[in-house]
Amino acid sequence: MPERRTVALVTLGCARNEVDSEELAGRLAADGWDLVEDAADADVAVVNTCGFVEAAKKDSVDALLEANDLKDHGRTQAVVAVGCMAERYGKELAEALPEADGVLGFDDYADISDRLQTILSGGVHASHTPRDRRKLLPISPAERQGAGQGGKVALPGHAQAAADAQPAEEAPADLPEGIAPASGPRAPLRRRLESSPVASVKLASGCDRRCSFCAIPSFRGSFISRRPSDVLGETRWLAEQGVKEIMLVSENNTSYGKDLGDIRLLETLLPELAAVDGLERIRVSYLQPAEMRPGLIDVLTSTEKVAPYFDLSFQHSAPGVLRAMRRFGDTDRFLELLETIRGKAPQAGARSNFIVGFPGETEEDLAELERFLVGARLDAIGVFGYSDEDGTEAATYDGKLAPEVVAERLAHISRLAEELTAQRAEERVGETIEVLVDRVDDEDGVIGRAAHQAPETDGQVLLTMDDEPAPGRMVVAKVVASEGVDLIAEPLGIEGGCTEEAGR
């Protein structure tokens, strides 16, 4: 019997990339590949790259070089780049990084098994020439579904390749463990790569916004929603795999449904997702402040099992800077939005990212941003210094600030953000929270997250308890102290559901 082919997926970047990797894993496992965790144990190491900002691109290159080193003293025979950086630069990346044996774009995902086999066998698959993926779909959102859902345009993470799957009663009995069975015409094609009680589900791909600093729409394409039945079906499958928290991701979740004829579709979908057996929490990320609707705020703050969590993309608060970014709003309107949210759910979580040193940003603009941050009481704040991104409008702007000025402003706002988020965590002392246990280990003890804390980005909760509940258990606890953005809490009960004290 021939030795089975082995492959390892190394994922960098955001939660959307993690979903894409699990879809690639599903395709490969279904075609007979064995998935291994360590790239050193794999015939092929597939690096799912990030192409967002310079630091992320450097991390991706370093990961590819590290995987390439394994070819000298391990089992690894080939290293392949996929993901946003591979899609964005294609041939250019292949020429600049000959250590990569292949550079595959999104259009190669449906044939990933054949592509890897060709490369593993010593063949060459030509790297693609990058193109503006916004031009692949109709301008009108209402006309996009045929092209996207019909498979004419690659939509990573949508699992559209399973459109012709067999009904459940005809499904093969020998599918590899962890592969979603074909339960209908749109069964998910996905393989979990870790045992975390949390998993992301894509609501949509692409973005129709034209922020002057962002290149993502050019290589991710225009916005296209997944069908609610696909999202619901994948969520049910993940719950069957033991997932307790679902995080809905896309480039812009507040636009979900606009190409399906219903911009309020998310408000309808969330209660259906919350009703899925086995799930403890639904979390929605990537919300645009300018697109927040009263009805969406109501659903996010009042639906059982839906976390009152607001990952709002503010980016700045000075009107002049926001207009140059081709965005909307100002300090007062943003503060009013947060006040509205907290009026409905006082314990609601709120986080955001900000860019400092944008071309033309003045000292007054920076002071306006400080005013907003002080008044916003955000639970988590990400701060980035501006840098030009290839192909963006902002890269052509006059008024660029000197790198040392950008670095100084970045350091200043980062220090302020650290102080403010620590203060916000301290304000939560005395609150009753529901903590989803993420892990239990000898060094850290029982670690979980409250409703206002997304995985990896927003801090965590240390539970002071003698028992060690399994990951995925929900613990009702009282916050007794804080350390930076992290909380320390004493348990009041396990899997007790929302008590009146812990309610919204």
Side-chain angles (χ1 to χ4, degrees):
M1 183 176 179
E3 188 175 6
R4 289 175 68 88
R5 304 163 296 178
T6 57
V7 59
L9 285 120
V10 179
T11 306
L12 295 95
C14 64
R16 300 185 296 273
N17 253 17
E18 294 172 5
V19 176
D20 295 350
S21 285
E22 293 199 347
E23 183 185 300
L24 290 174
R27 294 180 185 278
L28 290 166
D31 203 44
W33 291 75
D34 281 341
L35 275 81
V36 296
E37 291 186 14
D38 193 339
D41 298 328
D43 296 320
V44 184
V46 177
V47 179
N48 192 348
T49 61
C50 178
F52 181 42
V53 293
E54 285 304 317
K57 287 183 276 189
K58 181 182 183 302
D59 289 344
S60 295
V61 170
D62 289 345
L64 287 163
L65 293 175
E66 183 178 339
N68 183 68
D69 290 341
L70 297 174
K71 291 192 288 188
D72 295 330
H73 50 266
R75 173 171 178 158
T76 309
Q77 301 173 51
V79 176
V80 176
V82 299
C84 291
M85 190 175 180
E87 174 63 37
R88 185 176 181 183
Y89 294 105
K91 289 182 178 180
E92 183 181 344
L93 177 61
E95 292 168 359
L97 198 70
E99 291 85 355
D101 300 286
V103 176
L104 305 181
F106 297 149
D107 292 333
D108 292 305
Y109 282 20
D111 301 306
I112 186 67
S113 179
D114 290 343
R115 300 288 186 264
L116 296 191
Q117 186 59 57
T118 295
I119 294 168
L120 186 59
S121 300
V124 176
H125 179 71
S127 302
H128 74 291
T129 300
R131 51 183 174 169
D132 189 337
R133 296 189 72 85
R134 291 172 292 193
K135 299 178 180 178
L136 302 182
L137 291 167
I139 294 176
S140 168
E143 297 175 4
R144 292 177 190 162
Q145 284 292 314
Q149 300 291 3
K152 298 175 184 177
V153 175
L155 299 172
H158 285 224
Q160 70 276 16
D164 58 352
Q166 303 171 60
E169 62 272 15
E170 299 176 16
D174 58 350
L175 280 175
E177 182 181 355
I179 293 293
S183 59
R186 302 291 298 177
L189 179 60
R190 181 169 178 172
R191 170 73 177 263
R192 296 216 69 204
L193 293 174
E194 56 180 50
S195 58
S196 166
V198 185
S200 295
V201 173
K202 274 197 178 182
L203 271 184
S205 288
C207 185
D208 286 344
R209 301 184 72 88
R210 294 297 179 261
C211 302
S212 62
F213 56 84
C214 183
I216 290 176
S218 66
F219 57 85
R220 278 288 184 180
S222 296
F223 185 89
I224 186 164
S225 304
R226 293 182 72 191
R227 294 171 180 165
S229 57
D230 291 354
V231 177
L232 190 57
E234 186 167 341
T235 298
R236 286 172 175 152
W237 176 77
L238 287 166
E240 291 168 0
Q241 302 296 308
V243 169
K244 298 301 180 181
E245 178 177 325
I246 290 293
M247 186 162 71
L248 299 177
V249 299
S250 75
E251 279 73 21
N252 177 9
N253 280 337
T254 36
S255 282
Y256 179 68
K258 72 175 186 178
D259 52 322
L260 294 170
D262 185 359
I263 191 60
R264 294 175 177 81
L265 195 55
L266 184 55
E267 289 95 304
T268 303
L269 178 61
L270 283 172
E272 294 186 55
L273 294 173
V276 171
D277 288 342
L279 286 187
E280 296 287 351
R281 181 182 288 159
I282 308 291
R283 185 182 304 276
V284 184
S285 60
Y286 304 109
L287 302 170
Q288 288 292 338
E291 298 181 29
M292 289 301 296
R293 306 174 291 276
L296 180 56
I297 295 174
D298 287 343
V299 171
L300 287 170
T301 56
S302 65
T303 306
E304 186 178 2
K305 294 189 178 181
V306 174
Y309 173 81
F310 293 81
D311 176 14
L312 295 159
S313 179
F314 290 122
Q315 302 299 344
H316 212 283
S317 73
V321 176
L322 286 168
R323 301 307 173 268
M325 290 178 169
R326 299 208 178 278
R327 297 178 65 83
F328 306 95
D330 55 46
T331 295
D332 292 334
R333 275 194 276 182
F334 290 165
L335 291 176
E336 288 173 7
L337 173 60
L338 291 169
E339 184 179 358
T340 297
I341 291 168
R342 289 172 177 142
K344 295 177 179 296
Q347 290 186 210
R351 76 166 326 274
S352 192
N353 293 324
F354 299 88
I355 298 173
V356 297
F358 194 79
E361 182 189 63
T362 65
E363 291 286 354
E364 291 76 14
D365 293 329
L366 197 68
E368 185 68 2
L369 175 58
E370 290 185 45
R371 182 170 80 89
F372 171 69
L373 292 175
V374 170
R377 297 169 55 234
L378 299 174
D379 292 282
I381 299 172
V383 188
F384 300 87
Y386 173 81
S387 62
D388 287 339
E389 279 296 314
D390 299 334
T392 61
E393 182 182 354
T396 69
Y397 284 178
D398 295 328
K400 301 282 177 61
L401 303 184
E404 57 269 23
V405 174
V406 176
E408 181 182 342
R409 293 184 180 184
L410 173 61
H412 171 66
I413 296 298
S414 295
R415 286 193 299 270
L416 177 62
E418 186 175 350
E419 294 172 5
L420 293 172
T421 51
Q423 289 176 16
R424 178 66 183 125
E426 190 173 357
E427 290 176 9
R428 290 191 178 276
V429 174
E431 289 184 357
T432 299
I433 57 177
E434 288 187 294
V435 181
L436 184 72
V437 176
D438 279 337
R439 69 181 192 279
V440 179
D441 58 51
D442 294 336
E443 182 177 349
D444 297 326
V446 181
I447 301 296
R449 290 170 298 100
H452 70 278
Q453 297 168 316
E456 299 181 6
T457 61
D458 301 343
Q460 58 190 19
V461 179
L462 170 63
L463 289 169
T464 58
M465 56 193 307
D466 295 328
D467 296 334
E468 295 186 351
R473 298 289 294 275
M474 191 71 83
V475 178
V476 179
K478 184 175 183 178
V479 181
V480 296
S482 64
E483 293 182 356
V485 297
D486 297 332
L487 304 177
I488 300 171
E490 294 179 348
L492 300 176
I494 296 179
E495 289 191 340
C498 280
T499 66
E500 189 171 324
E501 193 177 3
R504 294 176 173 83

